Amino acid sequence: MRVHVVCLSLAFLVSVWVVPGADAQTDRTADAVAAFEEGTAAAGEERWSDAIPAFRRAYALSHSSLALFNAGYALRALGRFVDARAAFDEVIATSTDADLIGEARTYRDEVAARIAQLHLEGLAEPTRYDVRLDATHVEDDGTRPLRLELDPGAHSIQVHLAGFLPFDWSGELREGAVERLSISLAPVPSGSTVLDEPWFWVVIGVVVVGAAIAIGYIADDAAQLRPAGDRTVVRL
Amino acid sequence: MRRLALVVAVLSLGGCARDGVFDLDVALEPDPTGVRPWRLIEITDIDGIASSWDQLTFATASTRTVLVDDRTTLRFSVVSEREATEVSVRVRYCRTQSCSDSPISSEPGYRVTFQRSIWIGRRTQYTLVVGPPTEESVTVDQVCRCEVTGCNSGVPATPTSGICVGTADRCSTTATHPCDVH
């Protein structure tokens, strides 16, 4: 990759420096080249987190597909496959360099296969839910099951709907995994419940004390829990 | 004599019980197509995250059963002395009794993790309903701590209803489960 980046950086320099223009354009081009070189240096040292913003800045200033390709490559190196695929897709759509497009296609297909999918099942079709992926809102477009694409790693899902208790899930997804998550929302208990009544707790207290006494009389060997006789015992 | 027995029992309940028992009923629905009639139920307390289910060791228990027409309920008592760990259950839908006809990663299955089901010195209960296999997919589910019911003190008895108070979130660790009240 290091050689590849250097080669592309030379091509980038050539492609942007040959563009003539006014002073403002020249400054913009110089900034783009500086950003590209910064990204190239970072990539050469495998400092991918530094390389990504530099290449993105170079792309924003120059619209060079080379800069975007390198941003995609750095995103791929960090395991950010969803963003990497988007970058390669844009290279394929906008570049006029056949070789670069071919290479972008190869990487695009590779990272696409490594993206994990989480299918949220059990959501009602006409309803729109407040879905949050890693605490970030995700649009519920009504597709059922709702398919989310994620980079591999640890994630959390929260599903909210007015009048229902929120659904929470957290877990880790492998590269290319397709997992199905069954969503079921329980309605929020309405208004005052029996739990708010003092007499309820008095009754519960009497029952608990009575039960404790009864248990003591009935089971004088209750020091150890004993599985019920008709059950398969699983000792963990 | 009976009073002495009572004192011994109460003291024992408070200080000697080192296990928690989780009575788990697994209600299994048959495969209407008949392609995968066998079920293999595996239980572990190794933290079950979605990515590593296939690598988990379920050496502690496995029960095979074949389903024909009707729903079948298998009854387990999961006993553990570690109350903080999650209990995970994997149900495999198999074509044969040995379940060796296809790799786990490519067969349909049902996987559920209990956020909290074991309380030392207590007995809890949950009924898990596992539907028929759907295509070649794996269903991943979670049962929150407040959905686990019952909190008896040691002798098998009729489970009481689990009532969590303190929050509306069934998964919240700040909710007070009956088993949290000692």
Side-chain angles (χ1 to χ4, degrees), chain A residues 118-119 121 153 164-175 177-184 186-189 194-195 200-201 204 207-208 211-236, chain B residues 2-3 5-6 8-9 12-13 16-21 23-25 43-45 49-51 54-55 60-61 63 75-82 87 111 119 121-123 135 137-142 152-156 163-165 168-171:
Chain A
L118 195 57
H119 296 181
E121 298 183 332
F164 291 84
L165 301 174
F167 174 89
D168 280 290
W169 174 88
S170 61
E172 194 157 327
L173 297 172
R174 286 174 300 168
E175 289 185 6
V178 179
E179 298 284 352
R180 296 175 182 242
L181 196 58
S182 178
I183 311 287
S184 62
V188 174
V194 69
L195 300 181
F200 173 79
W201 294 107
I204 289 292
V207 170
V208 168
I213 293 173
I215 288 171
Y217 270 98
I218 294 169
D220 57 359
D221 62 344
Q224 297 297 323
L225 291 173
R226 291 176 301 175
D230 59 343
R231 290 177 172 276
T232 302
V233 178
V234 180
R235 176 166 281 281
L236 302 180
Chain B
R2 296 193 76 178
R3 286 187 178 178
L6 170 63
V8 170
S12 300
L13 283 171
C16 295
R18 286 291 171 264
D19 288 333
V21 176
D23 287 339
L24 176 64
D25 291 353
I43 304 172
T44 186
D45 59 353
I49 53 176
S51 66
D54 294 347
Q55 283 81 46
T60 49
T63 295
R75 292 154 59 84
F76 298 91
S77 281
V78 181
V79 183
S80 176
E81 58 184 18
R82 296 184 297 276
V87 171
R111 299 164 182 184
W119 277 265
R122 303 301 175 111
R123 182 183 213 92
E135 302 171 351
S137 66
V138 173
T139 299
V140 179
D141 214 340
Q142 182 194 37
N152 300 317
S153 306
V155 178
I163 302 170
C164 271
V165 296
D169 183 354
R170 310 291 289 174
C171 291

Side-chain angles (χ1 to χ4, degrees), chain B residues 1-181:
Chain B
M1 183 60 191
R2 296 193 76 178
R3 286 187 178 178
L4 177 61
L6 170 63
V7 171
V8 170
V10 170
L11 290 177
S12 300
L13 283 171
C16 295
R18 286 291 171 264
D19 288 333
V21 176
F22 175 36
D23 287 339
L24 176 64
D25 291 353
V26 182
L28 300 163
E29 298 283 357
D31 182 359
T33 67
V35 174
R36 294 180 179 275
W38 287 92
R39 301 291 179 273
L40 175 61
I41 291 85
E42 300 166 301
I43 304 172
T44 186
D45 59 353
I46 299 171
D47 287 349
I49 53 176
S51 66
S52 62
W53 276 92
D54 294 347
Q55 283 81 46
L56 283 180
T57 300
F58 290 87
T60 49
S62 64
T63 295
R64 291 175 170 81
T65 189
V66 65
L67 305 179
V68 183
D69 294 319
D70 299 320
R71 171 188 283 196
T72 299
T73 298
L74 302 180
R75 292 154 59 84
F76 298 91
S77 281
V78 181
V79 183
S80 176
E81 58 184 18
R82 296 184 297 276
E83 64 178 2
T85 56
E86 295 178 346
V87 171
S88 298
V89 177
R90 179 169 66 186
V91 179
R92 295 176 57 184
Y93 303 93
C94 306
R95 297 174 188 270
T96 63
Q97 183 175 9
S98 66
C99 276
S100 60
D101 47 289
S102 59
I104 299 174
S105 56
S106 64
E107 72 185 7
Y110 178 84
R111 299 164 182 184
V112 61
T113 298
F114 290 86
Q115 182 191 24
R116 174 78 186 271
S117 57
I118 299 289
W119 277 265
I120 299 302
R122 303 301 175 111
R123 182 183 213 92
T124 51
Q125 193 274 336
Y126 190 83
T127 299
L128 185 69
V129 179
V130 180
T134 54
E135 302 171 351
E136 298 297 308
S137 66
V138 173
T139 299
V140 179
D141 214 340
Q142 182 194 37
V143 175
C144 294
R145 61 196 296 279
C146 287
E147 293 173 304
V148 174
T149 62
C151 197
N152 300 317
S153 306
V155 178
T158 303
T160 57
S161 294
I163 302 170
C164 271
V165 296
T167 177
D169 183 354
R170 310 291 289 174
C171 291
S172 171
T173 55
T174 61
T176 303
H177 191 280
C179 291
D180 293 326
V181 182

Side-chain angles (χ1 to χ4, degrees), chain A residues 29-180:
Chain A
T29 302
D31 290 343
V33 171
F36 192 89
E37 289 177 340
E38 179 187 335
T40 302
E45 297 169 7
E46 298 188 353
R47 290 184 289 109
W48 305 111
S49 296
D50 296 329
I52 292 167
F55 283 131
R56 285 201 181 282
R57 194 163 65 252
Y59 178 65
L61 292 168
S62 66
H63 298 295
S64 164
S65 298
L66 295 176
L68 184 58
F69 179 93
N70 276 3
Y73 193 96
L75 288 163
R76 168 182 171 274
L78 281 181
R80 293 171 56 184
F81 301 131
V82 175
D83 291 337
R85 183 184 59 183
F88 290 128
D89 277 340
E90 195 169 338
V91 170
I92 294 166
T94 59
S95 178
T96 56
D97 183 336
D99 291 340
L100 189 65
I101 291 173
E103 209 161 349
R105 280 192 205 284
T106 300
Y107 282 122
R108 190 265 179 215
D109 292 344
E110 183 221 309
V111 296
R114 299 170 75 178
I115 292 171
Q117 293 184 45
L118 195 57
H119 296 181
L120 307 189
E121 298 183 332
L123 301 177
E125 197 154 327
T127 308
R128 294 294 182 268
Y129 295 79
D130 177 8
V131 180
R132 295 171 199 173
L133 169 61
D134 300 330
T136 302
H137 177 76
V138 176
E139 184 187 358
D140 175 13
D141 61 3
T143 305
R144 298 293 180 267
L146 184 59
R147 292 178 169 83
L148 304 180
E149 293 187 320
L150 308 92
D151 294 323
H155 293 284
S156 67
I157 296 286
Q158 290 88 40
V159 179
H160 298 261
L161 184 66
F164 291 84
L165 301 174
F167 174 89
D168 280 290
W169 174 88
S170 61
E172 194 157 327
L173 297 172
R174 286 174 300 168
E175 289 185 6
V178 179
E179 298 284 352
R180 296 175 182 242

